[in-house]
Amino acid sequence: MSSTDETERTARHWMLDGVPLLVPVLLTALVLLAGLRHAVPENMIGGLAVIVGLGVLLGPLGNRLPGIAKIGGGALVCLMVPSILVYLRIFDTSTVRAVTMLMKQANFLYFVIATLVVGSILGMNRRLMVGGLIRIFPPLLTGTAVAVAVGVGVAMAFGYGFHRSLFYIVVPIIGGGIGEGVIPLSSAYASALGGEAGSYVAELVPAAIIGNIVAIVSAGVLRRLGDRRPRLDGGGRLVRDPAREPLVPQVHSPSVDREPNYAFGVLTITALFVCATLLEQLIHLPAPVLVIILSVLCKLFDIVPAAVEADVRAVYAIIARHFIFPTMIGLGMVYLPLNNVLGVLSPGYVIACAAVVVAMALTGFLVGRAIAMYPVDAALVTVCHSGLGGTGDVAILSASNRMNLMPFAQISTRIGGVATVLTATWLIRVLD
């Protein structure tokens, strides 16, 4: 090999998506140094500077780390490293507040989820979409039942009582996240058992977080299995189809000869979410679930013009390709408090939480294969029921590189979570 070839190979090694690696490193370092001077703006600009800078560096790094790359890679690193740094108080307060403002007050997370949901549904083949929506329920229901039985059994084997095993380990894992699961559960427990709701939150959060981490690792393992056994892997498809039509077509539709208008795409996505928020007050279903319903209706009845569908898919392509790792950074900094987990950590507790998730994934895999679904994809959608709501869905699907399964994952998480919370609220009164 000539010295010129060696030089070019070395230069490519220090490039990131065609950009010299030094550029994002310097820009991110400047942002973090500004934080040390408390100069990071505590608004959307400051929050984006932090999560995008760290995301474009840690994501590719995680995908290259030996071992880690096979069980979640960039998604796992982007979620866990910021959480650990927050726990160790490495980040200054202005940096954390800027990211918190972006993720919570500005609700950047819901914008990402809405984009993935609307974009993937409007890009689906109608027949595959309907088939997937119908068939996700058998693996989801069976997986939930098996996960409850296995989780309670394993927890009791480690000395936990039935009441503790069910309501404080299994239920928070499959309850739909922190805001949609743990918070209403804590209120229900306080009402039934007495005491303050806040004290129950501290007891419920650790199981939910550990379950979410295990689900991310499981997603990475499932992706690896799909790579080795292509017959089991739909690559983002749930239902076996001879035509192998893509779930999300190319941004430029053959019938639409124009450059995508990203503003129209963003308007469509945000307008559907606003309509869902309005309907939430009337129908009393969560807005993320109603966004799925509205998007499905738009697709079934051809309500959205083909040109606007292309615009939505163009926005989807940008978010799915470039903003998932930054979003994971924000989730790790804001939504993954390690101090809650470390307070209850024990081998039996961790194994019981892991048993819930693994049982759900394995059951989804087997049931999916039995009803002519792609087992890997069926397992991924099923295991989303054990994630931290929308936060978990993004992390799990990112680890498996299946962002186009977001609509099905949201159904698994939201519908499954609501059903779990309602059932647990009734059972804790009956069994108390």
Side-chain angles (χ1 to χ4, degrees):
M1 181 182 292
S2 67
S3 59
T4 303
D5 292 337
E6 181 66 26
T7 302
E8 290 179 355
R9 191 167 67 87
T10 303
R12 286 196 300 270
H13 182 73
W14 293 102
M15 300 286 280
L16 186 62
D17 285 340
V19 176
L21 183 60
L22 186 62
V23 174
V25 168
L26 285 177
L27 290 175
T28 305
L30 286 172
V31 172
L32 297 179
L33 286 173
L36 296 177
R37 304 279 299 178
H38 303 286
V40 174
E42 294 176 16
N43 53 30
M44 185 176 70
I45 293 176
L48 282 173
V50 174
I51 69 169
V52 173
L54 291 174
V56 299
L57 295 176
L58 292 181
L61 173 64
N63 285 337
R64 289 171 170 80
L65 288 176
I68 298 294
K70 298 178 180 179
I71 57 169
L76 196 59
V77 169
C78 286
L79 188 70
M80 295 306 302
V81 169
S83 181
I84 293 170
L85 294 178
V86 169
Y87 175 75
L88 296 175
R89 301 184 184 277
I90 302 299
F91 290 120
D92 66 283
T93 54
S94 68
T95 298
V96 175
R97 282 200 295 261
V99 175
T100 302
M101 182 274 160
L102 174 70
M103 300 301 293
K104 288 192 171 181
Q105 279 73 49
N107 219 341
F108 182 70
L109 173 62
Y110 269 27
F111 172 71
V112 171
I113 292 173
T115 300
L116 297 174
V117 167
V118 177
S120 55
I121 288 178
L122 294 185
M124 282 185 194
N125 172 275
R126 287 187 185 85
R127 178 167 46 81
L128 295 182
M129 177 185 69
V130 173
L133 289 172
I134 293 172
R135 293 199 195 185
I136 63 171
F137 288 101
L140 175 60
L141 294 173
T142 310
T144 301
V146 172
V148 171
V150 170
V152 170
V154 172
M156 292 181 69
F158 279 97
Y160 294 95
F162 174 80
H163 189 275
R164 185 80 184 173
S165 302
L166 176 62
F167 293 107
Y168 293 88
I169 295 179
V170 175
V171 167
I173 292 176
I174 61 175
I178 304 294
E180 298 86 351
V182 168
I183 301 302
L185 281 171
S186 64
S187 299
Y189 289 7
S191 176
L193 306 176
E196 294 293 327
S199 63
Y200 290 101
V201 171
E203 294 186 73
L204 296 172
V205 165
I209 292 175
I210 293 172
N212 190 67
I213 294 171
V214 176
I216 296 169
V217 174
S218 300
V221 172
L222 284 166
R223 177 186 178 182
R224 186 77 175 168
L225 175 62
D227 291 340
R228 292 185 173 184
R229 303 278 186 88
R231 293 183 301 103
L232 305 175
D233 186 1
R237 299 170 181 82
L238 286 174
V239 184
R240 294 186 180 276
D241 183 74
R244 299 283 294 176
E245 296 178 54
L247 277 176
V248 182
Q250 296 297 316
V251 171
H252 295 287
S253 172
S255 61
V256 185
D257 187 18
R258 58 189 272 278
E259 287 295 318
N261 187 319
Y262 295 97
F264 284 169
V266 171
L267 175 60
T268 304
I269 294 163
T270 52
L272 283 173
F273 192 88
V274 170
C275 289
T277 305
L278 175 62
L279 289 173
E280 183 178 12
Q281 303 174 10
L282 305 173
I283 303 177
H284 303 296
L285 282 175
V289 174
L290 292 172
V291 166
I292 299 171
I293 296 173
L294 290 174
S295 301
V296 168
L297 292 175
C298 287
K299 184 66 179 180
L300 287 177
F301 296 103
D302 274 333
I303 295 174
V304 179
V308 178
E309 282 191 357
D311 297 337
V312 171
R313 292 196 299 270
V315 178
Y316 168 95
I318 290 175
I319 294 296
R321 181 175 179 182
H322 300 293
F323 281 90
I324 298 304
F325 287 149
T327 302
M328 300 297 298
I329 295 290
L331 299 182
M333 291 182 67
V334 177
Y335 290 95
L336 201 66
L338 284 189
N339 56 319
N340 290 335
V341 177
L342 297 177
V344 299
L345 213 55
S346 70
Y349 190 90
V350 174
I351 292 172
C353 292
V356 175
V357 180
V358 173
M360 186 169 291
L362 183 59
T363 305
F365 184 95
L366 296 174
V367 173
R369 183 165 64 177
I371 60 174
M373 299 175 72
Y374 285 104
V376 168
D377 302 85
L380 286 168
V381 170
T382 304
V383 85
C384 282
H385 188 196
S386 58
L388 284 175
T391 303
D393 291 343
V394 173
I396 292 165
L397 297 183
S398 174
S400 57
N401 195 26
R402 297 288 192 282
M403 299 311 299
N404 48 6
L405 287 176
M406 182 59 76
F408 306 110
Q410 284 280 285
I411 291 174
S412 175
T413 301
R414 305 293 179 177
I415 301 294
V418 168
T420 299
V421 170
L422 293 176
T423 304
T425 300
W426 171 71
L427 275 179
I428 200 167
R429 294 180 181 276
V430 173
L431 299 178
D432 180 36

